[in-house]
Amino acid sequence: MGIGLRTPHSERFLDPQAPPAIPWLEVLAENYFDRGGIRHQMLCRIAERYPISVHGVALSLGSSEGIVPEHLERLALLVEDVEPRMVSEHLAWSRSGDIYYNDLLPLPLTEETLDIVSTNVDRTQNRLGRTILVENPSGYLAFEQSTMSEAAFLTRLTERTGCGLLLDVNNLFISGANLGVDVGEWLAVVPPEVIGEIHLAGHEEGGTPDHPLLIDTHGAPVTAEVWHLYAAVLQRIGPRPTMIEWDSDVPSLDVLLDEAARAQKIMDRIVESDAPSHAL
């Protein structure tokens, strides 16, 4: 069970007397690209004590212009420095030419998009010398051009590239609420063995009374509905490395550790109760 390493808490993980009792940490890759910077140096010290997972947010796997070589190279150097257990990115795009958008933008799920994302994943994996995990996005709109479901798209992506998937349970719940994605069907289509990591996060209610919308904020506790879905996912696929993701309005470290402890209790209960089932 892991949590995201956030700047206000970094010093705590170097405490020689009472380091936080958490099995592993995940970092946002781009925050540590400055190889000589203080953040990067601190991360390298923390990586000597804790296993690390590297989570990218701006590689833009869905970009038809391809991956920026300099960005991929900086990611590769970070991976070389901290030797993470896992590396992940998003099924999204965030760049057009020299312009970077501060968001993870959606993609039409078509054969053309599958070719683009597969090429970019292959290039990333070849440079890193390892497989990566690709995260399912939170859904707010559906493209008329899409010719396949998200679950089918991601499954075919794993088949073509050998990559794995990072299942963000909060994102899946949001897509179900906003777009009517059938969560049970999603989990039935995606092979359990390709899911290498799970994210849990909070969301908020938005939109209008006539058009309610759930918004992935990463700035609140995990909701009861997402905890329930997490338990159901584990019942179906079995235990997976799970991380509490909290990026805005970051609370005290104790709050994050409590969320991780709750996730661990759910996982322990599922493991003790029985083997994975197909009920959702």
Side-chain angles (χ1 to χ4, degrees), residues 203-271:
H203 63 260
E204 295 181 2
E205 297 181 1
T208 66
D210 293 333
H211 299 284
L213 195 70
L214 296 185
I215 302 171
D216 181 31
T217 60
H218 293 183
V222 178
T223 65
E225 295 86 356
V226 172
W227 284 124
H228 178 75
L229 179 55
Y230 175 58
V233 167
L234 295 183
Q235 286 176 333
R236 181 179 289 274
I237 72 172
R240 292 293 189 278
T242 299
M243 196 276 282
I244 302 296
E245 195 172 27
W246 201 317
D247 299 327
S248 61
D249 297 323
V250 177
S252 70
L253 180 57
D254 288 341
V255 171
L256 298 182
L257 295 176
D258 286 346
E259 290 279 277
R262 182 170 181 179
Q264 187 65 59
K265 287 180 181 178
I266 293 173
M267 184 180 295
D268 291 343
R269 187 179 73 241
I270 298 300
V271 171

Side-chain angles (χ1 to χ4, degrees), residues 171-214:
N171 287 356
L172 183 57
F173 180 80
I174 286 174
S175 295
N178 290 346
L179 301 179
V181 171
D182 187 318
V183 173
E185 181 179 344
W186 195 102
L187 290 168
V189 170
V190 174
E193 62 271 15
V194 304
I195 299 174
E197 183 183 343
I198 290 175
H199 275 185
L200 295 170
H203 63 260
E204 295 181 2
E205 297 181 1
T208 66
D210 293 333
H211 299 284
L213 195 70
L214 296 185

Side-chain angles (χ1 to χ4, degrees), residues 4-21:
L5 177 65
R6 300 299 175 255
T7 300
H9 309 143
S10 295
E11 290 285 355
R12 289 278 302 275
F13 294 96
L14 294 173
D15 185 343
Q17 303 301 323

Side-chain angles (χ1 to χ4, degrees), residues 100-122:
Y100 278 86
Y101 302 97
N102 189 28
D103 210 339
L104 298 166
L105 301 172
L107 295 161
L109 303 180
T110 64
E111 295 290 342
E112 180 182 6
T113 303
L114 182 61
D115 288 341
I116 290 169
V117 177
S118 296
T119 297
N120 290 335
V121 169
D122 282 338

